[in-house]
Amino acid sequence: TVDNFLPKDYANILYEGFEMEWLDGADNGWKYTTFVAGKEFKLRSNNNIEERKAIAQDRYNGGLFTYSKHELYLDNPLALWLRDYMNTSQTLIRLSSIVEDRLHAISDSFISCYGEGDFLSRHSDNDLGTYAWVLHLTKNWTYSDGGVLRFYCDGEAMTCEGNDDSCRAQSNRNKNQYICHEIVPSFNSLVLFRTRPVMIRHDVSPVTKAHAKRYAGTGWVRSEQDRLSEVDERGLRRQQGVDVGL
């Protein structure tokens, strides 16, 4: 974890911008976001929220990959600014020094907000980049509020391929797994962890805090030697998702 990752003024401007997006109702503002099973893609839309939330909860209870959260549209100015900042040569050099690897480019990024009851189920990000990064932009958060980034350890490597639900369910129910590291969101702190070739399972625990807003920027970065395959590229496009208007 890297504390005070952004200049203080930048971090505060982003936070204030996130808060304002709830007020202005812009078409590219906060949209409820879920995973569409079967078609295997992310959907950002404020349509049918309660129905989609119930489906996400059922999948979570069944040990399948899913999530419930809000995201900004990819063309939102705040999302674009953070993506550009993370992709500057200066930032890539800084990240390279942290992980002691030569990093090439950001492969994808988005901005999320988890509210009360939202979650991200256990998974690995091996098809999206060499390293994952999470920039926490939440203020005054505690462990009891939920929304904790949790990492799982076991004695065997995950061998699932593609987006097969039965394989994911089996991996998620592996009784040999245990939580080996937890990170409570801390304002303006960056978390970096490797995602390939080692596949580190992780999740975000359900948020329990009433009227909560757990903000974070999330993305993946590739090393110079790491190239995405055609299968990876398809997975990346699914991850980037589909935006549907109000």
Side-chain angles (χ1 to χ4, degrees):
T1 301
V2 182
D3 295 327
N4 301 312
F5 180 75
L6 294 177
K8 183 178 180 180
D9 289 347
Y10 290 7
N12 282 319
I13 288 172
L14 281 175
Y15 178 83
E16 292 166 4
F18 297 160
E19 293 281 272
M20 289 297 297
E21 288 292 341
W22 291 106
L23 303 177
D24 64 17
D27 287 342
N28 63 351
W30 292 112
K31 297 294 183 289
Y32 184 62
T33 306
T34 50
F35 175 74
V36 180
K39 297 184 178 179
E40 310 295 324
F41 67 86
K42 174 190 292 185
L43 174 63
R44 284 177 292 268
S45 170
N46 285 335
N47 296 327
N48 305 316
I49 291 179
E50 293 306 317
E51 177 183 351
R52 291 161 55 209
K53 187 172 291 188
I55 292 172
Q57 187 66 59
D58 286 345
R59 287 180 61 83
Y60 183 81
N61 294 341
L64 300 174
F65 178 66
T66 189
Y67 42 77
S68 171
K69 57 183 175 176
H70 280 76
E71 286 187 9
L72 294 178
Y73 272 13
L74 296 182
D75 65 353
N76 181 280
L78 297 171
L80 292 173
W81 182 89
L82 183 59
R83 187 177 308 130
D84 289 344
Y85 181 90
M86 295 300 293
N87 220 15
T88 61
S89 59
Q90 183 178 2
T91 300
L92 290 172
I93 290 171
R94 185 181 178 191
L95 297 177
S96 296
S97 67
I98 293 171
V99 299
E100 299 181 346
D101 195 357
R102 297 185 66 176
L103 302 182
H104 173 66
I106 300 296
S107 55
D108 187 33
S109 67
F110 60 87
I111 294 174
S112 63
C113 177
Y114 288 71
E116 184 178 9
D118 286 341
F119 51 79
L120 170 63
S121 68
R122 198 182 316 181
H123 66 290
S124 61
D125 298 323
N126 67 299
D127 57 350
L128 300 173
T130 320
Y131 298 88
W133 56 267
V134 180
L135 177 59
H136 285 126
L137 291 163
T138 297
K139 295 186 175 182
N140 306 314
W141 203 266
T142 67
Y143 185 87
S144 62
D145 296 331
V148 176
L149 178 59
R150 305 184 298 192
F151 295 90
Y152 292 79
C153 296
D154 60 26
E156 298 180 1
M158 185 174 175
T159 57
C160 297
E161 296 182 2
N163 294 285
D164 181 67
D165 276 345
S166 62
C167 184
R168 284 182 172 179
Q170 182 178 0
S171 297
N172 289 349
R173 294 176 180 138
N174 187 338
K175 297 184 183 303
N176 294 324
Q177 291 186 339
Y178 61 95
I179 297 172
C180 53
H181 190 57
E182 297 180 298
I183 298 177
V184 178
S186 176
F187 185 68
N188 199 18
S189 64
L190 182 81
V191 179
L192 267 171
F193 58 97
R194 188 155 193 135
T195 54
R196 53 193 281 170
V198 178
M199 298 157 70
I200 301 176
R201 299 174 187 86
H202 54 284
D203 68 9
V204 174
S205 65
V207 172
T208 57
K209 184 178 182 179
H211 312 296
K213 292 175 182 173
R214 178 197 182 275
Y215 296 124
T218 300
W220 295 266
V221 58
R222 291 188 288 110
S223 69
E224 287 188 348
Q225 293 75 30
D226 193 5
R227 294 293 181 265
L228 298 180
S229 68
E230 291 185 8
V231 174
D232 294 335
E233 293 286 359
R234 288 197 295 271
L236 183 60
R237 288 193 292 272
R238 287 193 296 268
Q239 151 60 32
Q240 291 169 338
V242 174
D243 296 326
V244 177
L246 292 173

